[in-house]
Structures are given as structure tokens and as C-alpha cells.
Amino acid sequence: MSAIILDGKKLAAKLEEETLGRVMQLKEKGITPGLAFILVGEDPASVVYVRSKNKACERCGIRSVTCHLPEDVTQEELEETLHKLADDPEVHGMLLQLPIPAHLDEARAIACIPPHKDVDGFHHVNAGTLVNGAPGIRACTPLGIMDLVKLSGVETRGKHAVVIGRSAIVGKPAALLLLEADCTVTICHSKTKDLSFYTRQADILVSAVGKAGLITGDMVKPGAVVIDAGIARVDGKVVGDVDRASTEPVAGWLSPVPGGCGPMTIAELMVNTVSIAEADYAE
Ligand code: NAP
């Protein structure tokens, strides 16, 4: 047996095409969805991420603006920028590229983004709606993870999903979305004893850690759906948490790195932006 590869690149392209269609309809009504990026400093990975998100905006017909603030920007200056964008009716979504420099208060900055413009779904109001099962904006990587699970065609109801990682931006929201999809969910983290005891029980295994080779084939239940959200670098190459060579012969489905959660995260960002613009118009 060899796992079916869940092609995130192809699925993301399809989502972006659908998004472009929705943008065209909005433009006919005189509305151009707008997404603002707030980038602080010169962190090379952040600069690259913002660039690729800008390119996706171009592909989808979304107007994007990037507010590039200096590394030594003060909390007050950052918040002033965020408030200005919050008040700008042409900006439907706002994204503060993380991480921001250590002298800045990330939680306070995110709280300056109005929940209805919080395109990343990181604001505590949106996090709260996810916990409560109320409508709200969902974080992009977890949305991408769910769409990749859906692509496998595997019924989620009653399945045991094991999520490795408990961050507020990937692990926890992914676990909550899987719970919403009627999975029985186990969350593992760095203090989990005997990780493979849990991973071997997983019908759906999501790894969101950032440690190359964390998951090997002997830790995977035969036929499982394995979603690799991790990003690590080995010899200058981008890899995930999952050791593909040993896992591919065991898993039923596998999302690759690169080409899995990465492009899906960007596509979901486009979808969230357009959904916000549509909701604005409907008001
Ligand atoms: P994070 O905040 O560093 O969280 C990592 C999580 O992994 C933590 O919960 C940590 O546990 C857990 N962990 C660390 N070592 C472990 C181990 N040996 N066994 C089990 N769990 C372990 O990272 P994040 O922001 O959630 O991101 C996770 C990964 O996803 C990273 O590689 C990141 O680059 C990637 N990512 C990808 C995308 C994308 O677009 N594809 C987007 C966002 C993030 P503790 O809580 O106990 O410390």
C-alpha cells in the first residue's frame, strides 16, 4: 500500500479560482476586497510569507496593502497603525505577521484588530466563538488542515483524531475543528509521555510541531489520514514533521511538505478575506 498524496497545491489553486469568481461578483457591485498586512522588522521568513500572501492577493483580485514598520517601532506606533487600518472602510481584513519583535506586546496588538477584520482568526473573540461553536472567523492553517482531511473523502464522524501541538494558532484550533466535525480528539504536546501510544490510535493524525522526522511510519496506524502542518529546515530544504519515506507505505493519505498545508493556509486567507467583504456588503 502507498498513501494517496493530498495535493494541497492543487486544492489551493482550486480554492483561489473560486475566490477570484467571488471577487469578480463583488467588483460588479463596486466592492474590491482589501487585505492589509502589517509587517514589523526584517525577519526573513516573515518577509517571504508576506510576499507570497501578496502574490496570492494579486491572483485572486484582492487589493492588498503592506504597512512595513521598522524593527524598533514602539507599541504605541504599532497600535496607531492598527487603529488606522481598523477605521479604513476599504480594508476588509487585517493580518499582523507574526512573530513580532520581543519588545512588543503581541496580545495587545492583536486585540487592536477588530474581530470582524481579524482575517487570521487569532483575536480572542474569534477564538472564543470557535470554543463556543458560534459563527466567527477561523484560523487559516486549521481551515486548510480540515479541507485536506475533507479531500481524503474519509468520514470524520466518530473517528479518533490525534493532534500533536497545542498552540493557539494551529494545534488548539485544529483540534476544536476536528471536534466540531464529530471526531474524538486527543491533543499531544511536548510533555506527552509515549507519543507513539497515541499516534498509533489515530484514524486522523495532525502534526503541528516543526520537528523534522518526529513522526515515522511505525508510529502511524495503517490506512490513517496524516496531515503534516509542521515546517522545518534540513540542509536548506523545507520538510515537515513526518518522515515521508517510512510513512507513505503505511498511511492511507498523506499531505506533503512542501505542497500541503502551506499553500492551503494562503488560499484559506484569501477565502476569509472575501467572506469578510461579502458579509460587509450584506450588512
Ligand atoms: P509552536 O507554537 O512552537 O507549537 C509547537 C507545538 O509542538 C507546541 O504545542 C509544543 O508543545 C509541541 N511540541 C514540541 N515538541 C514536541 C514533541 N517532541 N512532541 C510533541 N509535541 C511537541 O508552533 P506553531 O505556531 O503551532 O506551529 C507548529 C508548526 O506548524 C511549525 O512548524 C510552524 O512552522 C508550522 N506552521 C505552518 C503553517 C503553514 O502555513 N503551513 C502555518 C503556521 C504554522 P508545548 O506546548 O508543550 O511546548
Side-chain angles (χ1 to χ4, degrees):
M1 192 171 79
S2 185
I4 296 169
I5 298 302
L6 296 168
D7 189 340
K9 215 171 156 187
K10 199 164 153 192
L11 182 56
K14 187 170 163 252
L15 272 186
E16 285 188 10
E17 203 182 302
E18 286 167 11
T19 306
L20 175 63
R22 289 166 66 185
V23 170
M24 299 314 273
Q25 283 182 5
L26 279 172
K27 284 188 174 169
E28 277 171 24
K29 293 168 185 156
I31 297 165
T32 301
L35 176 53
F37 300 100
I38 304 95
L39 174 64
V40 184
E42 301 298 332
D43 174 61
S46 294
V47 171
V48 170
Y49 286 141
V50 170
R51 199 179 301 139
S52 21
K53 289 169 188 172
N54 263 305
K55 279 190 187 151
C57 286
E58 273 173 36
R59 292 195 293 274
C60 294
I62 293 170
R63 188 181 70 89
S64 71
V65 284
T66 302
C67 299
H68 197 162
L69 303 172
E71 184 85 28
D72 61 355
V73 71
T74 63
Q75 182 76 25
E76 289 65 34
E77 287 164 341
L78 171 61
E79 289 185 15
E80 199 182 311
T81 303
L82 293 167
H83 288 310
K84 257 191 209 146
L85 294 166
D87 290 339
D88 186 340
E90 293 193 349
V91 171
H92 297 93
M94 294 167 59
L95 185 152
L96 175 63
Q97 184 65 42
L98 302 178
I100 54 177
H103 69 279
L104 298 167
D105 184 331
E106 185 180 300
R108 251 181 63 189
I110 291 174
C112 296
I113 300 174
H116 67 281
K117 291 193 177 190
D118 169 38
V119 77
D120 249 344
F122 294 168
H123 192 287
H124 60 85
V125 167
N126 285 315
T129 59
L130 175 58
V131 173
N132 291 344
I137 300 168
R138 305 295 179 235
C140 301
T141 305
L143 281 175
I145 289 169
M146 292 308 290
D147 274 343
L148 286 168
V149 171
K150 208 188 267 175
L151 181 66
S152 74
V154 167
E155 165 69 77
T156 50
R157 185 180 304 168
K159 294 285 160 57
H160 188 185
V162 175
V163 178
I164 316 173
R166 57 174 164 178
S167 74
I169 62 172
V170 191
K172 269 188 220 161
L176 286 163
L177 288 177
L178 287 158
L179 189 63
E180 207 167 68
D182 293 329
C183 290
T184 301
V185 181
T186 301
I187 305 177
C188 300
H189 46 78
S190 69
K191 310 294 184 292
T192 298
K193 292 198 173 96
D194 195 2
L195 184 64
S196 61
F197 170 79
Y198 299 98
T199 58
R200 279 197 210 108
Q201 296 175 36
D203 302 304
I204 298 167
L205 178 62
V206 175
S207 191
V209 174
K211 226 171 221 171
L214 179 73
I215 304 299
T216 46
D218 58 327
M219 296 169 74
V220 173
K221 181 176 177 178
V225 179
V226 180
I227 308 293
D228 190 354
I231 299 176
R233 265 180 200 279
V234 175
D235 301 329
K237 264 188 165 173
V238 174
V239 297
D241 294 340
V242 176
D243 174 55
R244 189 164 166 175
S246 61
T247 302
E248 220 175 308
V250 184
W253 291 265
L254 174 64
S255 78
V257 178
C261 290
M264 285 304 294
T265 296
I266 293 182
E268 303 289 358
L269 176 66
M270 301 300 112
V271 174
N272 274 357
T273 305
V274 174
S275 298
I276 295 171
E278 286 172 347
D280 243 34
Y281 177 74
E283 270 169 14

